[in-house]
Amino acid sequence: NNNNNNNNNSNTYRKRNRNCSQTEPPTTSTSTWTVTRRSRTTALQLLKMALVKGMVVAPLTTTFFLSLYVVLTTNPTFVFSANYNYDNSGNNNDKTMIREFKILSSKAITEELKALEATYPSFVTLSTSQQDFDLPTAGTSRDCSFDNSGSGSDSGSDSGSGCYNYYLTIEDKTVHPEGSASYASLPEVFLSGAVHGNERVGPTAVVELAKLLLEAAHCESLPRSIPNSKSNSKSNEQPFDVNTNEGAEWLYQAEQATNCRQSLSNRGITPPQRRWLARLVSTRRIILIPTANALGYDRDERTEAGIDPNRDFPFDVLQSKDCMQTIAARTINEIYRMHLFQISLTFHAGTEVVSYEWGAPTYLDWDSPDDVAQVEIGDGYARFAGGFEGTKEYVSGTMNDLVYPVRGGMEDWAYAGSWDTDRVIQCQPNPKLHGPYAPEKTTYNNSTLRAFNMLIETSHSKVPPSHLGSTDGLLNYVPNYRSNGHIARNIRLALMAVDIVEPYVSIQSLNGVEVSDDVVPMMVMERGEVSCQENKLMSVPSGSTEAKVVWSVGGGFTVDFTTLYYTHWDNVPLTTDCSGRIMDGELGFDPLTVPAMSGVTRWSKEARSDNDSGSFEAKIDIRNFNAGDKIAIFAMAKLDQGWTEQPTGDDVKPSIPPMSHVVNARTNVNWRHSSAGKVIQGRQEWYSIPLTILISDGSNGNNNDGKTVELSNRFIIPDMVIDAAHLNEPGESFSYLRPSVLIALSVAVTFATYKVVNRWMFRRKYTKPSYLDDDNDDAFANEFTFEEDIQLRELS
C-alpha cells in the first residue's frame, strides 16, 4: 500500500485488506527478506479477489498471480535477494556512503559495540569487566540507565545499577582458534578511548576504527568458497557449474564481496588499503575499551566519582591506598594481566601532542632506555595523523616535556611496571569505595608490563565543536586533507599503531600481474595443496627464463635487509610454516636467492610517498625449471635493528638496554616472554606467505598465450557480471526445472481461465435468465455457484 497513491484507491484497498501487513526488509548484513505465512495468505486473498470480481482478464496479469500462488504454496522458505551492504544504511551509492563523524554518546557507543558483536561474530568478542573479572559497577541507578541489565553493583547502590565497562576484542577466530600456537603468539595492541570522561574524541575514534577494520576484514574474506580445479583451467573460463551447491554458494558470496568492495571504494578505500586493513584484523589481536571511565563519560566528568583514574596506577605513587581506587583503573589492570601488549594508546584532550616516556616525577628530564624507538614511532604517528584546516600536525616528545609529570600514570605503569620494580607498589585501596581489591593483583611478573603506551592529546578542546572529519578518503596520506579532522586523524594514528606492532612481508605481483590476495581473513594457512601451493598461484609460459617479483615490507620503519628465497616446492619441508611465521633458521632448505637490498617503509620520514615506499623488486632465474614444475618463492626482511642503540649523551635512566617487547621482539632472537597463555618470541627474520609459480606445460593448447596469469583469484572471472537470478541462500543449488514447470503451468492455467471467463462474459452480455428478477441483480449470485450457472446455461 503506497501512501502516495490516489487517496480513494488507497482507502478502498485498505478497507478490503485490513489484515494485510507489509514487512520491511531488515537493514542487516544479511539483507534478505523472507516471505511470511501472513504474506502468503494475503497473496491468496488477492488471487481470489481477482478471480471472483472478474478482474482476471489479461493473460499477463493471470500469469503473475498464478506464479505467485504456486511459488508461495510450494516453497514456504523462498527468499527474495536484496542488495548487500555492510554499513547498515541500505545504500551503496557513492555519496550516500560518506559520513561526517560525530561525537558518540555513552548509549550510542554501547549500541555500536553490541551491533559489531552481532554482525561480525567470527572476529568480535564483547564483554565487560563485571562479567569477566567480577568487578562492581561505578555509579548509581541514575547512571548509564540505558544499560542496567547485568549483574554487579557499586556498594551502596541498587542491584544492577551503575555503568558497565565494556571492552571489545578483535581477532580472527577461524585462523587462530583458542588454544592453538598461533593464538598464543598473536601480537597484541591495546587502545583506550577515555580514562578522563570529559575528553570525548578518543572513544568515538576507537569505535569508528573498529567498524572500519571489521567491515574490511569481512569483505576481504568473501567469497570463502574457492572452486576446485583452478590450476587446470584457463583464466577466462568458469571452472565449476553454477547449478551445483559449490557454484551457487560462490555466486552468493561473490555478489556480497562485489557490493561491499564497491561500498569501501566509494568512500575512498582502495583495494590495497582494504587488503591492508584485513591483514591487520587477521594477524593481530586488538583490545578496545572505548570508555574505561564509563561513569565519567556518561556524566561528562573528568573523574570517576571524584577520583582521577590516570593517577590511580601503582607506578611512582607514594602510598598504597592511592592506587586501584577506581573501576576504570581496575578494569585496565585486569585486561593487562590477561595479555602481553606490545603497543598501546591512551587518548586524552587538552592540548595536541603525541607523548611517551618518561612522565613520572622521578624521571623528570631523563629519557627512557627505549627512547630511540619511541622518538621514531612518535614522529611517525604525528606524520600519518596529519593536520587540517586551522590545526597543525601533532608535536611529539616526552610527557614530562610536553604535558606534565604525574604520579600513578597509566602510561609509565604499562611501560615499566614489570622491570622497574622499585617504582611499583602493591595497592590497598579503601574498601568502602568499591570493595576490597587483592594486593597480589598489583604484583606483576617479568613480562606483563613492557608496552609502548603512548599518550595522545587529541585536541585543545575537550569536545571539539567542529572539524571532526569524515569517512571520505579516510586513509589518504595527504597533509591537510580536506576530510581530515580530530576523529579522522586519530583513526589513522591508531591504525598505524596496529600496523607497527609486528613486521611483515608480502609478495605483491609477478611480471607486472598483481596478486589479488594477501592475507585472507578466515582462511587457514596450513601446509597442503590448497592453502600453500594455491593461495598465491601464478602461471608463466613454458620456456620463460626469468620472472620479476615485487614485494613490500611493513610493520616497521627501516628495512635493514631484504631478499627472495626460491626453490622447487618438492624441496620445501612439510614442517615449513606457510602462514609466514617462519622463525630464524627454520626455512628448512637451501634456496636460490637474489642480491640483498635495504630501504625504508611507508612510515619512515625518508619515505618518498605513501604508495611506493617499502616496495622492492628483483628478477629470479627460472630457466632450469621444467614445464609443470611448481616454484615456491619466499620474501624475507629484517627491520629496525637500529632500535637497540642508546640515545646519545648521558640522558638515559635507568642506563640499561631497551626493555620493551616491541623493540626486542624484532631485534633479539633470545627474547622470550610468556604470561596468561600468550607468548612473545624474539626474531630478526620475517617471511612472506609463499608465492607459487606454475610453469605452464602447454597441454591442451594452454600456454597462457605467452602471458603471466593468476590462477588463485577467488573471483575466477574478474569481469563476470553476476546474474541475480542465480543467487540463492548458501547451501541451495539452483535449478531451471522448477521455474520452467511453473511457467508452463502458469501459461496453461492462464489460457484455460481466460477461455472460461471470456465465454462467461460473452453469455452474460447477450443472454439473461428468465428466472432472474430485474430488481434483484444479486439473486442469482446468492442462489447458484459459478460452475452451476455455467452448467445451467449449457443445458438450456
Side-chain angles (χ1 to χ4, degrees):
N1 179 27
N2 188 340
N3 291 330
N4 295 326
N5 290 342
N6 181 274
N7 290 335
N8 293 334
N9 294 339
S10 181
N11 292 336
T12 302
Y13 182 86
R14 284 196 294 269
K15 290 177 181 178
R16 294 178 178 176
N17 298 278
R18 296 177 185 232
N19 294 326
C20 179
S21 66
Q22 182 173 344
T23 305
E24 294 291 338
T27 55
T28 63
S29 59
T30 53
S31 298
T32 56
W33 177 20
T34 305
V35 181
T36 62
R37 291 187 179 277
R38 188 167 187 173
S39 300
R40 294 197 298 273
T41 302
T42 302
L44 297 178
Q45 291 174 345
L46 290 173
L47 176 60
K48 181 178 179 181
M49 179 185 69
L51 291 172
V52 173
K53 297 297 182 180
M55 295 175 61
V56 184
V57 178
L60 292 178
T61 305
T62 308
T63 301
F64 168 78
F65 278 110
L66 290 174
S67 298
L68 184 63
Y69 173 83
V70 174
V71 170
L72 295 177
T73 55
T74 59
N75 187 7
T77 61
F78 185 84
V79 174
F80 292 106
S81 296
N83 288 332
Y84 297 92
N85 60 84
Y86 293 94
D87 71 329
N88 295 328
S89 68
N91 301 309
N92 58 4
N93 296 323
D94 51 352
K95 294 304 178 184
T96 59
M97 303 300 294
I98 305 301
R99 288 188 297 111
E100 296 290 331
F101 292 125
K102 297 180 180 179
I103 300 293
L104 297 176
S105 67
S106 184
K107 178 181 179 181
I109 288 174
T110 302
E111 291 173 346
E112 290 278 13
L113 295 179
K114 292 180 178 180
L116 291 176
E117 180 190 36
T119 306
Y120 306 107
S122 297
F123 299 113
V124 170
T125 303
L126 178 63
S127 192
T128 67
S129 60
Q130 286 70 34
Q131 175 184 343
D132 288 353
F133 312 122
D134 199 27
L135 295 179
T137 55
T140 69
S141 58
R142 295 187 299 273
D143 301 303
C144 300
S145 58
F146 59 86
D147 194 36
N148 288 336
S149 57
S151 61
S153 65
D154 189 6
S155 56
S157 64
D158 298 333
S159 177
S161 64
C163 297
Y164 294 89
N165 300 78
Y166 285 91
Y167 69 97
L168 193 78
T169 302
I170 298 176
E171 60 189 339
D172 192 332
K173 302 178 186 179
T174 303
V175 176
H176 311 289
E178 188 171 358
S180 65
S182 64
Y183 174 88
S185 61
L186 273 179
E188 298 186 308
V189 178
F190 179 73
L191 303 176
S192 169
V195 171
H196 292 149
N198 64 335
E199 298 167 355
R200 315 290 280 189
V201 170
T204 299
V206 166
V207 171
E208 293 290 350
L209 167 82
K211 292 167 65 176
L212 177 62
L213 284 170
L214 292 167
E215 181 182 6
H218 176 81
C219 188
E220 189 65 16
S221 72
L222 299 171
R224 300 187 192 106
S225 173
I226 302 179
N228 54 18
S229 303
K230 291 185 296 184
S231 59
N232 297 324
S233 66
K234 297 181 181 180
S235 62
N236 61 347
E237 291 183 352
Q238 192 169 346
F240 62 94
D241 185 358
V242 296
N243 293 322
T244 65
N245 286 343
E246 183 185 39
E249 181 154 344
W250 179 86
L251 286 170
Y252 176 78
Q253 293 184 1
E255 188 187 27
Q256 295 182 66
T258 300
N259 289 340
C260 68
R261 282 162 167 75
Q262 186 61 53
S263 171
L264 289 167
S265 178
N266 291 337
R267 284 175 278 154
I269 305 297
T270 65
Q273 290 171 342
R274 184 192 70 241
R275 290 191 288 267
W276 173 60
L277 294 170
R279 167 186 273 276
L280 298 184
V281 171
S282 194
T283 60
R284 281 108 169 94
R285 181 178 296 113
I286 309 165
I287 314 297
L288 312 168
I289 182 165
T291 54
N293 183 0
L295 176 63
Y297 194 82
D298 188 61
R299 292 179 175 178
D300 195 15
E301 297 176 355
R302 175 185 176 90
T303 64
E304 181 187 288
I307 301 176
D308 190 333
N310 207 34
R311 309 292 185 272
D312 203 27
F313 291 86
F315 191 86
D316 213 29
V317 296
L318 302 179
Q319 300 184 60
S320 61
K321 67 180 181 62
D322 293 334
C323 52
M324 292 296 138
Q325 303 170 85
T326 62
I327 298 303
R330 294 184 188 184
T331 296
I332 293 173
N333 184 62
E334 294 289 348
I335 293 174
Y336 263 81
R337 287 168 54 86
M338 295 298 295
H339 296 276
L340 280 178
F341 295 116
Q342 298 187 47
I343 291 284
S344 176
L345 296 176
T346 174
F347 291 100
H348 289 259
T351 183
E352 296 180 358
V353 302
V354 173
S355 55
Y356 41 83
E357 283 64 41
W358 290 109
T362 297
Y363 294 120
L364 189 65
D365 299 326
W366 293 92
D367 295 328
S368 76
D370 289 272
D371 188 70
V372 170
Q374 289 178 323
V375 168
E376 187 164 31
I377 292 174
D379 290 347
Y381 285 163
R383 282 193 304 273
F384 191 53
F388 48 93
E389 182 182 354
T391 302
K392 298 179 180 179
E393 286 187 0
Y394 287 132
V395 177
S396 62
T398 68
M399 288 175 282
N400 280 335
D401 288 343
L402 298 182
V403 190
Y404 45 77
V406 300
R407 298 188 185 276
M410 171 190 171
E411 298 79 19
D412 288 358
W413 164 82
Y415 167 62
S418 282
W419 56 270
D420 193 4
T421 55
D422 291 342
R423 307 275 76 79
V424 179
I425 189 173
Q426 276 195 341
C427 299
Q428 295 180 343
N430 187 345
K432 292 182 180 180
L433 295 174
H434 297 295
Y437 193 65
E440 58 268 22
K441 291 190 175 184
T442 49
T443 301
Y444 306 102
N445 60 30
N446 190 39
S447 303
T448 301
L449 301 175
R450 292 176 178 267
F452 275 1
N453 185 28
M454 295 195 180
L455 182 151
I456 313 300
E457 295 280 356
T458 60
S459 58
H460 293 294
S461 172
K462 303 287 186 179
V463 190
S466 61
H467 292 103
L468 300 180
S470 77
T471 59
D472 185 15
L474 183 61
L475 301 183
N476 288 350
Y477 188 60
V478 179
N480 300 312
Y481 185 66
R482 60 181 176 83
S483 293
N484 203 9
H486 294 292
I487 291 175
R489 71 169 171 176
N490 284 291
I491 296 173
R492 291 151 59 91
L493 190 154
L495 286 171
M496 180 179 172
V498 176
D499 181 89
I500 65 172
V501 70
E502 183 176 88
Y504 57 90
V505 187
S506 175
I507 297 178
Q508 302 295 310
S509 68
L510 179 71
N511 292 333
V513 179
E514 184 179 8
V515 181
S516 60
D517 285 339
D518 184 21
V519 173
V520 180
M522 301 182 68
M523 179 179 289
V524 179
M525 289 299 301
E526 295 178 349
R527 180 64 192 271
E529 283 295 320
V530 174
S531 61
C532 262
Q533 297 186 28
E534 294 197 3
N535 180 66
K536 287 190 173 186
L537 177 61
M538 310 285 281
S539 175
V540 299
S542 59
S544 300
T545 59
E546 62 181 15
K548 185 177 77 171
V549 181
V550 176
W551 70 100
S552 65
V553 182
F557 290 80
T558 301
V559 182
D560 300 286
F561 176 95
T562 186
T563 189
L564 294 176
Y565 296 140
Y566 63 104
T567 189
H568 196 288
W569 259 111
D570 292 343
N571 298 329
V572 181
L574 293 175
T575 55
T576 299
D577 189 338
C578 290
S579 67
R581 301 194 66 83
I582 302 172
M583 305 304 292
D584 294 47
E586 293 184 357
L587 190 59
F589 60 89
D590 185 17
L592 299 170
T593 187
V594 300
M597 289 168 270
S598 62
V600 296
T601 74
R602 61 185 293 200
W603 306 126
S604 172
K605 64 181 179 181
E606 300 175 7
R608 297 185 301 273
S609 71
D610 181 51
N611 296 323
D612 61 355
S613 293
S615 180
F616 303 86
E617 65 178 56
K619 292 182 179 180
I620 62 173
D621 187 352
I622 59 174
R623 71 186 70 192
N624 294 324
F625 293 92
N626 300 317
D629 285 351
K630 286 186 176 182
I631 307 170
I633 306 176
F634 296 81
M636 187 275 284
K638 296 181 180 181
L639 288 81
D640 300 323
Q641 300 304 297
W643 284 0
T644 59
E645 300 174 1
Q646 289 284 19
T648 57
D650 300 323
D651 297 331
V652 176
K653 190 176 181 179
S655 183
I656 54 178
M659 289 286 103
S660 67
H661 286 314
V662 71
V663 170
N664 285 279
R666 69 188 65 194
T667 62
N668 184 356
V669 295
N670 297 317
W671 187 266
R672 183 176 176 85
H673 285 261
S674 61
S675 179
K678 314 299 191 303
V679 177
I680 296 177
Q681 174 61 57
R683 55 179 168 148
Q684 293 180 336
E685 298 177 356
W686 304 87
Y687 287 85
S688 70
I689 294 173
L691 170 69
T692 299
I693 295 180
L694 171 66
I695 308 296
S696 176
D697 58 9
S699 61
N700 300 322
N702 180 14
N703 196 29
N704 300 342
D705 296 325
K707 299 178 181 179
T708 298
V709 176
E710 183 186 15
L711 302 177
S712 54
N713 190 323
R714 286 173 293 153
F715 284 88
I716 311 302
I717 308 174
D719 297 327
M720 176 181 178
V721 178
I722 302 173
D723 186 355
H726 292 304
L727 294 178
N728 292 273
E729 285 289 342
E732 288 188 34
S733 60
F734 184 86
S735 174
Y736 291 99
L737 178 59
R738 185 159 67 177
S740 300
V741 172
L742 290 177
I743 292 173
L745 181 61
S746 298
V747 171
V749 175
T750 298
F751 181 78
T753 305
Y754 176 78
K755 295 294 289 183
V756 170
V757 172
N758 191 44
R759 181 179 178 184
W760 175 71
M761 294 179 66
F762 177 85
R763 289 178 177 273
R764 185 176 181 85
K765 181 176 181 180
Y766 292 105
T767 59
K768 184 176 182 180
S770 58
Y771 53 82
L772 186 60
D773 187 1
D774 292 337
D775 296 330
N776 187 6
D777 291 340
D778 291 333
F780 175 80
N782 293 331
E783 184 175 0
F784 297 97
T785 66
F786 178 82
E787 293 181 353
E788 291 172 338
D789 177 36
I790 295 296
Q791 293 174 2
L792 288 173
R793 291 174 185 275
E794 290 177 343
L795 289 174
S796 67

